[in-house]
């Protein structure tokens, strides 16, 4: 056999960067490390397992003289017990450990107790510390430029403007949506709408206004709409319907149109407004139905010095509550719902029908996919003063009977309609707030100061 010269052990990886090496490399191709400067590897003493037992590695430090426990004598007297504090320990090199109470270069056993709180430097000091660039301004205390007129300010920092996505451009705080809670007060009518405690948005809408009839007498308008949650964009549907109906009444009443006819036409206008929100059918077939089009219900009231006109489609309601509570209150609308149909057909009484899980399935609504639009209107001539409560089912779910609702309406509702609407919304929220709730309170007869557009 040919003899071979002993060769230095080849390195498989760079000692500096662990980059794989090839035979004959003198420098690392990744970091440039001089491989000739690598020290000779120490003598390799592999550990060999014998019979499955692994011997302990040799210790590089001298052994420690641990106290030897005395042997137990023949009388079986137990050996004396040594407490940890009685034994002077040593470190891994055999040196004496510092005794508690003595000072050591590395550890202090007598240092003071840590404080419960660490005071922070004031913002001015913290921000004046040396930085690579100019000191940053604290957004909580910095002077912000006065926003332009009409700019929506953040509800959190009260200084930053709100962007189109509803977030503060200064502190990033998400702003409450405008329709989560709405209130409006006019001299002759007030309304309140709230998102409730369970829904993620408010799908109700209202519109209130007042105008004058041709003879100069006032006419007060209240429109309340409830978006159908199972439809697409129900919040848009309710808003469009309430605005369209209100505008239609404000245009017709001053021209001398009878209030009941004006209400009928207003419901038609509201229906057309909601229909326009529907996406066109995928097929050009004229018989193709609109799929899940935006939809809502509507109830409205027109109050004049002598007449009370109610119009509705769906299950939003209007109630009459007299000022003199010795007179009975009344519900002025009949629901377009499964429960109402069962009662009208004599198949169930009212308590049984509204206890059924199908009770709130509506049979009439505004929307492109409605089976047939049937506006309901009614005219009343109350013989005494009172208030008209126009509301969505978010309220009457918690006061369904007229007598129950009248118990919640404050006695001074005719003088303080906004307060009364707030109380009624609060009653629904206290009851659980499972739905959006919207209430308009209209005193009857219409006060003379209600004249004038609003």
């Amino acid at each position: 056999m040919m003899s071979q010269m002993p060769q230095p052990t080849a390195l498989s990886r760079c000692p500096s960067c662990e980059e794989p090496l090839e035979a004959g490399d003198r420098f690392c191709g990744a970091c440039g490390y001089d491989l000739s400067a690598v020290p000779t590897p120490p003598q390799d003493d592999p550990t060999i397992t014998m019979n499955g037992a692994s011997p302990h590695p040799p210790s590089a430090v001298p052994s420690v003289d641990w106290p030897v426990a005395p042997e137990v004598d023949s009388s079986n007297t137990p050996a004396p017990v040594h407490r940890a504090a009685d034994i002077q320990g040593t470190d891994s090199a055999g040196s004496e450990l510092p005794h508690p109470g003595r000072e050591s270069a590395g550890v202090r056993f007598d240092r003071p107790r840590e404080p419960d709180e660490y005071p922070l430097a004031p913002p001015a000091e913290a921000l004046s510390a040396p930085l690579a660039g100019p000191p940053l301004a604290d957004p909580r205390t910095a002077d912000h430029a006065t926003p332009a007129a009409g700019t929506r300010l953040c509800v959190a920092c009260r200084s930053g403007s709100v962007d189109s996505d509803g977030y503060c451009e200064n502190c990033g705080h998400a702003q409450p949506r405008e329709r989560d809670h709405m209130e409006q007060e006019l001299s002759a009518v007030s309304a309140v709408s709230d998102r409730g405690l369970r829904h993620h948005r408010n799908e109700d809408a209202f519109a209130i206004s007042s105008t004058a009839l041709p003879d100069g007498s006032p006419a007060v308008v209240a429109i309340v709409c409830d978006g159908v949650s199972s439809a697409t964009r129900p919040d848009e549907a309710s808003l469009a319907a309430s605005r369209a109906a209100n505008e239609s009444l404000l245009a017709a009443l001053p021209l001398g149109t009878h209030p009941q006819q004006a209400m009928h036409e207003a419901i038609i206008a509201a229906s057309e407004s909601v229909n326009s929100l529907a996406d066109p059918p995928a097929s050009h077939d004229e018989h193709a139905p609109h799929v899940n089009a935006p939809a809502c219900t509507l109830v409205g009231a027109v109050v004049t010095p002598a007449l009370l006109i109610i119009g509705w489609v769906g299950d939003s309601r209007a109630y009459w509550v007299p000022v003199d509570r010795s007179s009975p209150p009344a519900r002025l609308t009949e629901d377009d719902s499964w429960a109402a149909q069962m009662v009208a057909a004599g198949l169930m009484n009212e308590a049984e029908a509204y206890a059924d899980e199908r009770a709130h399935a509506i049979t009439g609504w505004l929307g492109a996919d409605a089976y047939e639009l049937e506006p309901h209107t009614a005219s009343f001539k109350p013989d005494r003063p009172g208030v008209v409560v126009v509301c969505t089912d978010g309220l009457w779910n918690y006061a369904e009977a007229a007598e129950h609702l009248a118990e919640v309406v404050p006695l001074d509702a005719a003088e303080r309609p906004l307060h009364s609407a707030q109380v009624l919304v609060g009653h629904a929220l206290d009851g659980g707030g499972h739905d959006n709730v919207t209430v308009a309170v209209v005193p009857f007869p219409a006060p003379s100061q209600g004249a004038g557009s609003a």
Side-chain angles (χ1 to χ4, degrees):
M1 180 181 293
M2 184 182 296
S3 63
Q4 295 181 352
M5 296 292 293
Q7 299 293 329
T9 304
L11 297 175
S12 60
R13 292 183 179 275
C14 172
S16 175
C17 66
E18 295 294 328
E19 179 73 13
L21 302 175
E22 296 181 1
D25 285 347
R26 298 180 58 190
F27 297 91
C28 175
C31 67
Y33 187 82
D34 185 358
L35 301 176
S36 64
V38 177
T40 304
Q43 181 67 28
D44 186 13
D45 295 322
T47 300
I48 302 176
T49 302
M50 299 293 293
N51 299 328
S54 177
H56 295 286
S59 175
V61 297
S63 61
V64 179
D65 293 331
W66 296 104
V68 178
E71 296 181 1
V72 180
D73 57 20
S74 58
S75 62
N76 293 326
T77 302
V81 177
H82 291 277
R83 294 178 301 171
D86 297 335
I87 303 175
Q88 181 62 46
T90 61
D91 61 17
S92 60
S95 302
E96 181 181 336
L97 290 174
H99 191 277
R102 300 178 185 175
E103 293 187 2
S104 173
V107 181
R108 282 186 62 102
F109 292 91
D110 59 345
R111 61 182 176 180
R113 188 174 66 88
E114 296 290 339
D116 294 332
E117 297 181 358
Y118 291 89
L120 298 178
E125 297 179 15
L127 293 174
S128 63
L131 298 173
L136 299 175
D138 188 343
R140 300 167 297 177
T141 59
D143 293 332
H144 297 277
T146 302
T151 301
R152 182 183 173 195
L153 294 180
C154 173
V155 300
C157 68
R158 303 303 301 168
S159 57
S161 58
V162 179
D163 62 19
S164 58
D165 293 330
Y167 291 87
C168 176
E169 295 178 340
N170 174 44
C171 68
H173 191 92
Q175 306 299 298
R177 286 170 289 196
E178 181 181 1
R179 290 179 64 176
D180 281 357
H181 184 87
M182 300 177 291
E183 296 186 2
Q184 187 177 358
E185 180 181 26
L186 302 180
S187 59
V189 58
S190 296
V192 176
S193 181
D194 193 272
R195 177 171 58 91
L197 305 179
R198 301 295 181 89
H199 281 227
H200 69 283
R201 64 179 174 184
N202 190 359
E203 298 169 357
D204 289 357
F206 68 81
I208 57 175
S209 60
S210 60
T211 186
L213 300 177
D215 61 0
S217 58
V220 181
V221 174
I223 303 292
V224 167
C225 295
D226 184 357
V228 177
S229 296
S230 59
T232 59
R233 302 174 359 245
D235 53 331
E236 296 181 27
S238 62
L239 184 62
S242 62
R243 289 178 173 176
N246 183 65
E247 292 171 359
S248 177
L249 287 166
L250 291 181
L253 292 173
L255 299 178
T257 305
H258 189 280
Q260 190 167 355
Q261 178 64 31
M263 177 63 76
H264 180 91
E265 294 174 356
I267 295 175
I268 299 295
S271 176
E272 293 174 350
S273 179
V274 177
N275 291 350
S276 67
L277 299 176
D279 296 326
S283 170
H284 294 290
D285 183 359
E286 63 179 0
H287 299 294
H290 292 278
V291 178
N292 202 20
C296 69
T297 67
L298 179 148
V299 62
V302 174
V303 173
T304 72
L307 283 178
L308 167 57
I309 307 299
I310 302 296
W312 73 97
V313 173
D315 63 349
S316 293
R317 295 179 177 181
Y319 290 84
W320 164 255
V321 180
V323 171
D324 180 5
R325 297 303 170 85
S326 62
S327 300
R331 195 175 93 194
L332 307 178
T333 58
E334 291 292 337
D335 299 341
D336 289 322
S337 68
W338 178 91
Q341 285 190 345
M342 294 298 102
V343 174
L347 300 177
M348 290 184 178
N349 61 40
E350 193 164 346
E352 293 172 339
Y354 282 100
D356 193 282
E357 61 181 6
R358 297 165 289 182
H360 287 275
I362 57 176
T363 58
W365 63 89
L366 305 182
D369 58 355
Y371 299 115
E372 184 179 0
L373 177 61
E374 296 183 6
H376 309 290
T377 61
S379 179
F380 303 91
K381 289 186 177 181
D383 59 355
R384 64 201 66 199
V387 294
V388 182
V389 177
V390 185
C391 64
T392 61
D393 62 346
L395 170 63
W396 65 255
N397 278 333
Y398 301 100
E400 196 276 330
E403 294 76 15
H404 296 160
L405 185 76
E407 293 174 358
V408 184
V409 176
L411 296 176
D412 60 351
E415 288 75 30
R416 302 173 64 193
L418 176 59
H419 173 257
S420 299
Q422 293 168 337
V423 169
L424 290 168
V425 170
H427 176 75
L429 298 181
D430 291 342
H434 286 71
D435 199 357
N436 309 143
V437 52
T438 301
V439 180
V441 177
V442 193
F444 177 89
S448 58
Q449 62 266 27
S453 177

